[in-house]
Amino acid sequence: MPSVALLAAALLLSPPRPLPPAEVLSRLPAPEASQGVAVDGGFVYAVGDSEIGKYDRASGVRVGRWAGDPAVVPHLNSCAVIARELVCASSNYPATPMSSTVEVFDPDTLQHRRSTPLGRQPGSLTWIDRHAGAWWACFANYDGRGGEAGRDHRFTTVLRFDDRWRVTGAWTLPDSILAKFKPHSSSGGTFGADGRLYVTGHDRPEVYVLEIPRTGNELRHVATIPVAAEGQAIAFDRSRPDVLYGISRDRRELVEMRLPSVEGSKGEGP
């Protein structure tokens, strides 16, 4: 009879599961929707390079807008509503050397509250989320434009920070996902209610489901979900754990989707 250790090893080596496509629930036109989306109880936020549009979820009416100076905020990559703040990942893409900041807004008024400069990191900050008492952030690397010599898309890294922005952990992405990112990187990422990490690339209509390993530093790719969003930043509706928002960059739309269930052990680490 196989040992528990052998069964665990077989599970870790199993290929990622293809899942049914996400069900599209609604589409909302939003001209700012070029980089991503954030969501809270009553509103969705369309994120552009240097702008954010706030939309009422029930009516679809835009109720607020922030427009920044592109010389100061050239590239907002994503935002997330965390503890009643709109927390955004910002970078100087495509300029090099790469540098990044975390920009924080009041979600009620869209007034800018503060900026945390992260300086030189192992890439360009594309998304940030809060999970298990820590900050988790992705630092992207690219082939060609926006990349730095000696690094390409394979150097994309997920870091965990404490509340003083000190690194407490670092993970790489598996080749099964990196090959799909090429020549770009991860543009979106957020933790689901199941403790798994859901990430997107730059333009493929797929969401990749990852688990934090108990040992080792490579995130485990457990499933791929086809979606009606061409990469870019994503956000869960925390009131409905199976509902994810993404964007259609070409159509400038916010897309509300219901994800299929991801079964099996989470295998969640730290």
Side-chain angles (χ1 to χ4, degrees):
M1 182 174 181
S3 69
V4 173
L6 289 176
L7 288 173
L11 178 62
L12 288 172
L13 293 173
S14 61
R17 301 187 293 276
L19 295 179
E23 175 191 3
V24 175
L25 302 178
S26 70
R27 293 178 180 269
L28 173 62
E32 303 88 357
S34 65
Q35 294 298 324
V37 59
V39 59
D40 61 20
F43 304 94
V44 285
Y45 304 82
V47 182
D49 284 336
S50 305
E51 60 182 347
I52 302 169
K54 179 179 179 178
Y55 291 81
D56 181 84
R57 286 172 57 174
S59 66
V61 173
R62 187 171 70 186
V63 296
R65 185 173 185 271
W66 174 84
D69 181 352
V72 178
V73 183
H75 201 71
L76 286 179
N77 287 296
S78 66
C79 296
V81 179
I82 300 172
R84 290 310 308 155
E85 292 189 316
L86 187 62
V87 181
C88 301
S90 180
S91 73
N92 66 339
Y93 178 87
T96 55
M98 296 177 179
S99 65
S100 303
T101 63
V102 178
E103 305 295 339
V104 178
F105 299 83
D106 181 334
D108 295 328
T109 64
L110 294 186
Q111 180 177 355
H112 185 264
R113 284 181 172 173
R114 64 184 180 276
S115 178
T116 300
L118 300 181
R120 303 288 293 277
Q121 296 288 340
S124 179
L125 178 64
T126 52
W127 56 259
I128 189 166
D129 199 10
R130 185 83 179 171
H131 173 68
W135 294 104
W136 298 70
C138 180
F139 292 90
N141 286 277
Y142 310 99
D143 304 354
R145 184 172 184 261
E148 291 188 5
R151 299 203 301 262
D152 60 18
H153 67 281
R154 296 171 299 173
F155 283 73
T156 295
T157 304
V158 174
L159 297 184
R160 184 183 61 197
F161 294 89
D162 65 15
D163 287 334
R164 296 177 62 183
W165 297 103
R166 298 174 297 193
V167 176
T168 62
W171 288 265
T172 61
L173 293 163
D175 289 341
S176 58
I177 295 177
L178 290 172
K180 296 188 176 187
F181 286 168
K182 183 180 181 180
H184 303 293
S185 188
S186 176
S187 293
T190 185
F191 281 90
D194 58 4
R196 296 183 176 95
L197 178 60
Y198 291 70
V199 303
T200 49
H202 185 267
D203 45 28
R204 280 181 178 260
E206 295 178 332
V207 169
Y208 310 107
V209 186
L210 297 164
E211 292 177 352
I212 315 263
R214 295 186 183 277
T215 58
N217 67 348
E218 182 177 283
L219 299 171
R220 190 160 70 92
H221 182 191
V222 298
T224 297
I225 305 173
V227 295
E230 302 88 26
Q232 302 304 310
I234 53 177
F236 273 105
D237 178 352
R238 299 300 178 187
S239 67
R240 297 176 294 168
D242 61 344
V243 173
L244 184 78
Y245 279 79
I247 69 168
S248 173
R249 194 171 193 171
D250 291 340
R251 299 170 64 168
R252 290 293 196 272
E253 288 180 336
L254 307 177
V255 186
E256 178 189 21
M257 301 167 286
R258 176 170 288 113
L259 300 184
S261 175
V262 182
E263 298 177 353
S265 171
K266 292 187 296 184
E268 186 179 355

